[in-house]
């Protein structure tokens, strides 16, 4: 019997605004899609919070015994600056600024994203599709939407007809917006646009002659609209009707609203049963923004190379800090807050270490089974990680009482207790002990030092090409070599 058969998991559904009992479409199987990064810059801490939140969901569903297909995409084309249909593609703009190919931008920041996710101990998704790898699927969906009468071609671009769609469906049902209010609040385009209505959004954009990223289509050379990409990739791998769709709160409108509209216009079906949205991360009480300097990148947090924090913090402490707040609440990041989290994390890890030295007794004075169920109750209540962490600190109190001889535990209960603590701390919350994290760091040090040795040998043989290649490849991975009198050192 699987655990999920004995646990009643409830998920807050953004579509209904209520917590609903989770019932997958197919018994024992879950299909989950999460909007991944647009890879035009280093992943920021707010994005990391979203991906940690859904890693928690993924881990808990697997812990319950579900077979989960977790799809998280890479947006490598089509995301227009300021999330509007007019303007420049974010990746193309970065390529122009840096004077490199767009796919060099994509590669550089995809590598960075994966490294940060690994440091934060996020599981890789089951499938990680790219938008550029699914152009054909997107074109086919556009054809179907046009055939169904919900899109129109205008000067080589294709736009979704929101007004026509709203006559048969409900545009705004996810975000709770009223279409009349939206129309009155949008600026009058004075006939300057190819759109019939200001709310209409692009399914396919005609590429200007100077536009680098372009593909042939029935409507001319162009590139897909941002919203369409997720519709194509989610339905290809999860079907036209699946269980969970997640993303940051900022994606609810227009991105997710448009996804629902596209799916319904194409298939006639509502695509997703449970919509989940993770809330934002602020810094010192203000919105994180590169433009104002109120921003910190994950690597700056891990190395201490920033002007915001008093010291460096490990990825596990950062993960613990994020999980101490519920995924739907706003979380403020500050030096004081993460220092407090570090103390809590250290207390938890110290107690887990002490648990290994507890001696069993013939009598249990603690009700371990009831405590364990309170941990499940927390996670079953819309993945309430802060309540779970509170229960784990109750376990820390138990461990200290056992060490002091003020409580006793049988061999059977001790085994149950250890397994439950390890399952919730390491498997569900995805935390790592500093020793485990250090072990991974030691392996990395060993590999980099081996490459430094190979580079030294290449330089001795005057093989400058190989020497430069090793240095440049490491730099692409975020590892910078520094040559000095004492030899070569590196920083990450």
């Amino acid at each position: 019997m699987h655990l999920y058969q004995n646990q009643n998991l409830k998920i807050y559904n953004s579509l209904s605004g209520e917590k609903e009992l989770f019932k997958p479409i197919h018994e024992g199987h879950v299909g989950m899609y999460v909007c991944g990064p647009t890879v035009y810059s280093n992943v920021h801490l707010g994005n990391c919070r979203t991906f940690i939140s859904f890693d928690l969901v993924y881990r808990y569903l697997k812990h319950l015994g579900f077979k989960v297909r977790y799809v998280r995409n890479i947006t490598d084309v089509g995301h227009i600056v300021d999330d509007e249909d007019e303007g420049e593609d974010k990746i193309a703009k970065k390529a122009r600024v840096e004077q490199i190919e767009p796919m060099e931008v994509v590669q550089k920041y995809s590598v960075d994203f994966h490294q940060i996710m690994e440091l934060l101990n996020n599981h890789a998704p089951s499938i990680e599709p790219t938008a550029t790898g699914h152009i054909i699927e997107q074109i086919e969906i556009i054809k179907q939407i046009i055939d169904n009468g919900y899109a129109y071609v205008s000067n080589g671009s294709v736009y979704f007809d929101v007004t026509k769609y709203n006559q048969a469906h409900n545009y705004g049902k996810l975000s709770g917006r009223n279409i009349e209010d939206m129309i009155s609040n949008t600026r009058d385009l004075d006939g300057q646009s190819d759109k019939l209505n200001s709310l209409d959004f692009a399914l396919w954009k005609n590429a200007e002659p100077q536009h680098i990223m372009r593909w042939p289509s029935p409507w001319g050379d162009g590139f897909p609209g941002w919203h369409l990409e997720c519709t194509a990739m989610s339905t290809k791998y999860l079907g036209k009707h699946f269980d969970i769709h997640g993303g940051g709160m900022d994606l609810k409108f227009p991105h997710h609203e448009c996804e629902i509209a596209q799916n319904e216009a194409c298939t006639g079906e509502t695509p997703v049963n449970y919509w989940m949205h993770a809330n934002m991360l602020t810094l010192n009480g203000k919105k994180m923004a590169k433009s104002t300097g109120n921003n910190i990148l994950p690597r700056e947090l891990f190395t201490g190379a920033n002007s915001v924090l008093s010291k460096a913090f490990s990825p596990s402490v950062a993960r613990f800090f994020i999980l101490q707040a519920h995924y739907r609440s706003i979380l403020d990041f500050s030096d004081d807050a993460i220092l407090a989290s570090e103390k809590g994390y250290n207390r938890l890890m110290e107690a887990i270490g002490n648990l290994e030295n507890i001696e069993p007794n013939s009598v249990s004075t603690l009700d371990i089974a009831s405590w364990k169920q309170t941990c499940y109750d927390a996670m079953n209540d819309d993945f309430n990680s802060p309540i779970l962490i509170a229960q784990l600190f109750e376990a820390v109190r138990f461990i200290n009482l056992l060490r002091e001889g003020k409580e006793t535990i049988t061999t059977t209960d001790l085994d149950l207790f250890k397994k439950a603590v390890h399952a919730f701390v390491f498997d569900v919350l995805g935390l790592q002990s500093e020793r485990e994290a250090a072990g991974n760091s030691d392996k990395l040090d060993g590999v980099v030092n081996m490459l430094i040795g190979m580079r030294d040998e290449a330089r001795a043989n005057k093989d400058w090409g190989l020497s430069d290649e090793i240095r440049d490849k490491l730099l692409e991975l975020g590892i910078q070599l520094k040559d000095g009198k004492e030899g070569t050192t590196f920083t990450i």
Side-chain angles (χ1 to χ4, degrees):
M1 181 178 282
H2 294 291
L3 274 171
Y4 65 76
Q5 292 168 302
N6 294 324
Q7 303 294 334
N8 290 322
L9 171 62
K10 287 188 174 182
I11 296 177
Y12 181 86
N13 190 350
S14 298
L15 196 59
S16 66
E18 294 178 356
K19 289 179 190 175
E20 299 176 6
L21 187 66
F22 178 64
K23 289 185 179 179
I25 296 165
H26 303 290
E27 171 75 25
H29 292 72
V30 179
M32 180 169 80
Y33 184 87
V34 173
C35 292
T38 300
V39 282
Y40 72 101
S41 64
N42 297 106
V43 63
H44 63 73
L45 215 52
N47 293 139
C48 291
R49 185 195 183 186
T50 296
F51 300 128
I52 287 171
S53 297
F54 287 102
D55 185 61
L56 175 74
V57 172
Y58 182 37
R59 284 171 174 274
Y60 187 59
L61 290 170
K62 286 175 68 176
H63 174 76
L64 290 179
F66 287 109
K67 186 173 182 182
V68 186
R69 179 176 289 174
Y70 174 23
V71 182
R72 187 187 66 210
N73 74 299
I74 295 282
T75 296
D76 55 355
V77 68
H79 195 161
I80 303 297
V81 175
D82 297 326
D83 300 344
E84 297 293 339
D85 285 332
E86 306 306 322
E88 198 169 3
D89 182 289
K90 289 186 175 183
I91 290 158
K93 181 178 180 181
K94 188 77 168 190
R96 181 173 55 76
V97 170
E98 295 194 4
Q99 295 187 310
I100 56 177
E101 280 284 335
M103 282 301 139
E104 287 183 81
V105 174
V106 167
Q107 178 67 10
K108 176 181 178 180
Y109 294 114
S110 293
V111 167
D112 171 74
F113 171 69
H114 290 132
Q115 287 175 343
I116 297 299
M117 290 301 102
E118 192 170 342
L119 285 169
L120 290 166
N121 202 30
N122 278 8
H123 281 328
S126 318
I127 303 172
E128 192 173 48
T130 63
T132 55
H134 296 76
I135 299 293
I136 292 170
E137 289 85 350
Q138 292 172 72
I139 289 172
E140 290 304 310
I141 290 172
I142 295 170
K143 286 181 184 175
Q144 188 62 57
I145 294 174
I146 291 172
D147 287 348
N148 291 350
Y150 292 114
Y152 56 91
V153 182
S154 179
N155 292 329
S157 294
V158 184
Y159 292 97
F160 189 92
D161 192 333
V162 171
T163 308
K164 178 81 175 290
Y165 165 81
N166 195 60
Q167 291 169 2
H169 302 271
N170 179 10
Y171 185 77
K173 63 183 172 184
L174 179 66
S175 58
R177 300 186 184 210
N178 178 282
I179 192 165
E180 286 78 16
D181 292 341
M182 285 190 274
I183 290 170
S184 64
N185 289 333
T186 53
R187 60 190 172 87
D188 185 4
L189 296 169
D190 294 329
Q192 295 174 17
S193 172
D194 294 333
K195 300 179 186 181
L196 294 176
N197 187 294
S198 56
L199 283 185
D200 296 349
F201 56 89
L203 299 174
W204 186 263
K205 284 289 288 179
N206 179 42
E208 298 294 330
Q210 70 274 17
H211 200 94
I212 307 171
M213 303 180 83
R214 58 201 299 140
W215 290 264
S217 81
W219 316 285
D221 281 6
F223 56 96
W226 172 39
H227 312 309
L228 183 70
E229 298 168 356
C230 287
T231 292
M233 291 182 279
S234 62
T235 55
K236 180 177 174 72
Y237 298 108
L238 298 174
K240 60 185 179 181
H241 187 199
F242 56 94
D243 298 297
I244 298 171
H245 192 314
M249 195 76 79
D250 57 321
L251 298 181
K252 189 187 286 188
F253 187 88
H255 187 51
H256 292 160
E257 197 75 72
C258 294
E259 275 193 63
I260 292 174
Q262 288 165 164
N263 276 280
E264 291 184 346
C266 182
T267 67
E269 285 193 35
T270 297
V272 178
N273 282 358
Y274 303 86
W275 284 91
M276 297 180 66
H277 292 94
N279 216 323
M280 65 192 294
L281 186 69
T282 57
L283 177 59
N284 293 322
K286 297 176 184 174
K287 184 179 178 181
M288 282 195 186
K290 290 179 187 174
S291 56
T292 61
N294 196 53
N295 186 55
I296 183 169
L297 293 173
R299 285 191 200 280
E300 295 170 343
L301 169 65
F302 306 151
T303 61
N306 63 81
S307 58
V308 178
L309 303 175
S310 56
K311 62 192 270 305
F313 294 91
S314 72
S316 265
V317 168
R319 185 181 179 97
F320 183 67
F321 165 77
I322 284 169
L323 293 173
Q324 279 187 292
H326 189 263
Y327 77 91
R328 284 193 290 114
S329 64
I330 292 174
L331 173 60
D332 188 51
F333 185 87
S334 68
D335 192 52
D336 287 346
I338 196 165
L339 278 167
S341 284
E342 185 177 53
K343 286 179 184 175
Y345 168 82
N346 289 337
R347 271 184 62 213
L348 182 59
M349 291 302 157
E350 183 184 2
I352 290 170
N354 291 335
L355 183 56
E356 298 308 310
N357 301 317
I358 299 294
E359 292 294 329
N361 196 289
S362 57
V363 178
S364 277
T365 54
L366 299 168
D367 187 349
I368 299 302
S370 293
W371 168 81
K372 182 180 172 183
Q373 187 55 48
T374 62
C375 293
Y376 279 110
D377 291 345
M379 288 303 291
N380 290 339
D381 183 17
D382 192 32
F383 310 98
N384 202 323
S385 57
I387 300 296
L388 170 60
I389 289 170
Q391 290 304 325
L392 290 170
F393 278 108
E394 190 65 15
V396 170
R397 191 178 69 82
F398 292 167
I399 292 164
N400 291 336
L401 290 171
L402 290 166
R403 283 183 71 216
E404 294 164 8
K406 294 177 181 175
E407 300 282 2
T408 57
I409 193 167
T410 64
T411 302
T412 303
D413 277 356
L414 181 59
D415 186 50
L416 179 73
F417 189 38
K418 282 181 181 177
K419 283 181 178 174
V421 168
H422 281 254
F424 284 110
V425 171
F426 301 119
D427 297 344
V428 174
L429 291 178
L431 299 175
Q432 288 181 297
S433 66
E434 293 290 12
R435 184 172 59 190
E436 187 181 2
N440 292 338
S441 177
D442 289 344
K443 288 177 189 175
L444 177 63
D445 289 356
V447 170
V448 175
N449 285 323
M450 179 184 73
L451 288 167
I452 287 172
M454 290 171 63
R455 181 169 173 263
D456 288 343
E457 188 177 338
R459 293 170 81 187
N461 295 332
K462 293 187 166 49
D463 187 349
W464 309 119
L466 179 58
S467 166
D468 290 348
E469 185 180 3
I470 292 170
R471 179 198 64 205
D472 294 344
K473 291 287 186 188
L474 285 171
L475 188 59
E476 283 179 23
L477 296 169
I479 300 167
Q480 185 169 14
L481 300 185
K482 293 181 180 177
D483 296 319
K485 292 179 182 176
E486 304 299 319
T488 304
T489 57
F490 69 94
T491 56
I492 300 177

